[in-house]
């Protein structure tokens, strides 16, 4: 990337975080489930640059990782192993220690069935899992100087630096399962707190190493705490089992910043109907939320009117992308003029562009969105 392009991307990113009214809208996409079909139909060449084809912007924010996404940051990960052949399916222990039922020969592009999770009680946790989260696990910081150098270089050029972490709920769910965690908070609350202490200690130590070199602009928590009718755990559970660890981590990050005047943005990423948890997360200083699933009742225009200071990303109905050009036009015209005038919004499909979207309709959508760039 040349310097002028990077500086343009940085300027757009900083305008977004500043909620600059009328600023050019950053062009992004959440992801795709349709690229294989579009390629087979000849619309996309193998290895084609999608950013160039669809008119996407580059990055002005660069995210530090190594702290998980949808699962814990195990070191080492569990050994992946086929446990059972079930004809058209196979039962596999995945890298996160879960027993997962996949289509044979296909392990991505669909939602698999999670048969069991690695933690059912204290014994599982202590014997099989907790040691994989040790800060001093061999290999945890291998290659750190080279890894951090790319971020110090970008920071020196004015880019913003983010830190992504598997959120506490997503972490607990990956260890125990969505049903199991609902029982465990009542039956074994001490175990839940011990798991969260391990989450905190690892995140705090890794981020402290990074902060010796860069100032962090955003803490991103991949949370997925909602489904299509609201939160998967109660506000009281959030406040008891998640927020003390979040608040301590945020406080520690702020206390270690090289630039102590820099605002630390907090982004929460959750699927489903996020409306009930917005005011809950604002209790700990949430600035930014994504991806606002429309099918779960999330309307970014209505929510921006209710929460005018909330940074937002997502909110483009994936079903409308499959409904043709007229439906796309109506949705773009309903959302984009208002949100551009407001600032602080990045539109993306509320999840991956689905299989049934026609290439010509998606290109029409991209043409319309570029009117706001």
């Amino acid at each position: 990337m040349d310097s002028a392009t990077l500086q343009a991307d940085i300027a757009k990113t900083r305008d977004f975080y500043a909620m600059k009214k009328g600023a050019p809208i950053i062009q992004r996409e959440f992801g795709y489930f349709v690229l294989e079909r579009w390629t087979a139909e000849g619309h996309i060449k193998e290895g084609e640059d999608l950013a160039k084809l669809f008119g996407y912007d580059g990055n002005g924010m660069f995210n530090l990782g190594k702290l998980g996404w949808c699962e814990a940051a195990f070191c080492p990960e569990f050994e992946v192993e086929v446990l059972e052949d079930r004809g058209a399916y196979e039962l596999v222990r995945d890298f996160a220690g879960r027993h997962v039922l996949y289509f044979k020969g296909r392990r991505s592009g669909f939602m698999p069935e999670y048969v069991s999770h690695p933690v059912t009680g204290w014994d599982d946790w202590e014997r099989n899992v907790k040691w994989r989260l040790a800060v001093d696990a061999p290999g945890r910081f291998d290659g750190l100087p080279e890894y951090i150098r790319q971020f110090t270089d970008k920071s020196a050029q004015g880019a913003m630096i983010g830190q992504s972490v598997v959120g506490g709920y997503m972490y607990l769910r990956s260890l125990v399962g969505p049903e199991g965690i609902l029982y465990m908070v009542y039956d074994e609350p001490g175990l839940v707190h011990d798991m969260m202490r391990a989450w905190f200690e690892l995140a705090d130590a890794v981020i402290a190493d990074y902060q010796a070199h860069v100032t962090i602009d955003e803490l991103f928590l991949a949370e997925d705490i909602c489904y299509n009718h609201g939160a998967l755990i109660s506000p009281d559970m959030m406040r008891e089992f998640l927020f003390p660890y979040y608040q301590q981590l945020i406080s520690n990050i702020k206390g270690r910043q090289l630039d102590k005047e820099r605002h630390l943005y907090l982004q929460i990423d959750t699927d489903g109907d996020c409306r009930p948890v917005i005011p809950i997360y604002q209790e700990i200083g949430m600035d930014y939320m994504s991806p606002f699933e429309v099918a779960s009742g999330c309307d970014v225009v209505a929510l921006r009117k209710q929460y005018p200071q909330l940074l937002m990303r997502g909110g483009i109905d994936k079903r409308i992308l499959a409904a043709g050009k007229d439906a796309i036009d109506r949705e773009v015209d309903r959302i984009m003029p208002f949100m551009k005038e407001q600032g602080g919004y990045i539109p993306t499909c509320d999840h991956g562009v689905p299989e049934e979207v026609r290439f010509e309709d998606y290109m029409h959508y991209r043409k319309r969105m570029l009117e706001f760039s």
Side-chain angles (χ1 to χ4, degrees):
M1 179 189 299
D2 64 80
S3 178
T5 300
L6 175 61
Q7 290 305 314
D9 291 333
I10 291 170
K12 280 189 176 182
T13 300
R14 292 194 175 276
D15 284 347
F16 163 75
Y17 280 91
M19 299 189 80
K20 183 177 178 181
K21 294 182 180 297
I25 293 284
I26 293 173
Q27 302 291 316
R28 294 274 162 75
E29 190 51 275
F30 188 102
Y32 305 89
F33 294 104
V34 69
L35 289 181
E36 188 175 321
R37 179 169 68 80
W38 285 349
T39 302
E41 292 172 350
H43 301 299
I44 298 176
K45 300 179 179 66
E46 291 287 349
E48 186 164 5
D49 184 345
L50 297 185
K52 184 176 181 180
L53 177 64
F54 295 135
Y56 299 144
D57 291 308
N59 292 321
M61 164 82 80
F62 294 85
N63 278 296
L64 292 153
K66 300 187 182 295
L67 285 172
W69 185 258
C70 295
E71 298 83 16
F74 290 139
C75 187
E77 296 176 345
F78 284 81
E79 183 180 355
V80 176
E81 181 181 356
V82 176
L83 302 173
E84 187 179 334
D85 187 321
R86 297 188 180 181
Y89 307 95
E90 57 186 4
L91 185 67
V92 177
R93 182 180 60 216
D94 74 1
F95 73 97
R98 300 166 296 198
H99 292 186
V100 189
L101 196 63
Y102 294 109
F103 293 111
K104 188 177 291 183
R106 184 181 178 193
R107 297 185 184 179
S108 62
F110 66 97
M111 181 61 72
E113 179 181 346
Y114 293 94
V115 176
S116 67
H117 292 75
V119 178
T120 60
W122 279 100
D123 182 63
D124 292 330
W125 167 241
E126 295 280 2
R127 181 164 47 86
N128 296 328
V129 178
K130 187 175 183 178
W131 58 273
R132 299 176 189 272
L133 295 166
V135 174
D136 59 354
R140 173 77 70 189
F141 294 105
D142 284 358
L144 183 64
E146 295 77 14
Y147 179 73
I148 196 66
R149 189 174 299 118
Q150 61 186 304
F151 295 93
T152 56
D153 289 347
K154 290 294 189 296
S155 179
Q157 295 176 74
M160 299 178 73
I161 303 298
Q163 173 65 62
S164 58
V165 186
V166 59
Y169 174 76
M170 184 104 86
Y171 159 82
L172 293 171
R173 188 180 73 185
S174 74
L175 296 179
V176 184
E179 183 177 353
I181 195 62
L182 295 176
Y183 287 98
M184 192 173 282
V185 293
Y186 289 103
D187 297 338
E188 291 280 7
L191 174 55
V192 178
H193 279 295
D194 201 60
M195 291 189 290
M196 284 304 301
R197 280 192 291 273
W199 175 92
F200 165 77
E201 289 168 5
L202 177 59
D204 193 50
V206 170
I207 294 171
D209 270 16
Y210 295 156
Q211 285 188 277
H213 306 278
V214 292
T215 295
I216 293 176
D217 294 285
E218 178 183 279
L219 176 64
F220 173 98
L221 296 177
E223 191 76 291
D224 277 8
I225 200 167
C226 298
Y227 71 126
N228 65 344
H229 292 297
L232 287 156
I233 61 174
S234 73
D236 285 346
M237 290 177 185
M238 294 166 66
R239 294 184 182 108
E240 178 178 352
F241 294 104
L242 303 181
F243 283 8
Y245 305 97
Y246 291 174
Q247 289 167 318
Q248 188 62 62
L249 183 63
I250 291 166
S251 176
N252 288 4
I253 292 172
K254 289 180 177 179
R256 290 190 297 253
Q257 294 278 49
L258 296 174
D259 180 355
K260 296 191 183 299
E261 300 302 313
R262 195 91 57 89
H263 180 74
L264 177 69
Y265 292 91
L266 175 62
Q267 181 181 171
I268 303 295
D269 180 89
T270 180
D271 299 343
D273 184 359
C274 65
R275 292 173 296 176
V277 303
I278 291 174
I280 309 301
Y281 280 107
Q282 286 183 326
E283 294 175 11
I284 59 168
M286 178 183 70
D287 304 279
Y288 182 0
M289 184 168 261
S290 58
F292 297 98
E293 285 197 86
V294 184
S296 296
C298 298
D299 181 335
V300 289
V301 172
L303 286 167
R304 171 51 61 80
K305 291 175 181 177
Q306 186 175 359
Y307 301 102
Q309 300 306 312
L310 182 64
L311 294 160
M312 307 172 79
R313 175 168 49 86
I316 301 297
D317 192 342
K318 54 184 168 286
R319 300 166 301 177
I320 286 177
L321 296 181
K325 295 180 178 63
D326 289 344
I328 290 169
D329 283 340
R330 286 192 296 271
E331 189 74 343
V332 170
D333 292 339
R334 184 184 74 84
I335 293 174
M336 294 308 300
F338 174 79
M339 295 302 283
K340 181 172 182 178
E341 193 281 328
Q342 292 284 305
Y345 175 57
I346 299 175
T348 71
C349 179
D350 53 6
H351 264 78
V353 178
E355 178 76 23
E356 58 267 30
V357 175
R358 296 187 305 168
F359 182 77
E360 55 267 34
D361 288 340
Y362 189 73
M363 290 302 288
H364 176 76
Y365 164 72
R366 292 303 313 141
K367 180 180 178 182
R368 288 300 320 275
M369 295 304 285
L370 287 168
E371 295 172 11
F372 301 90
S373 68

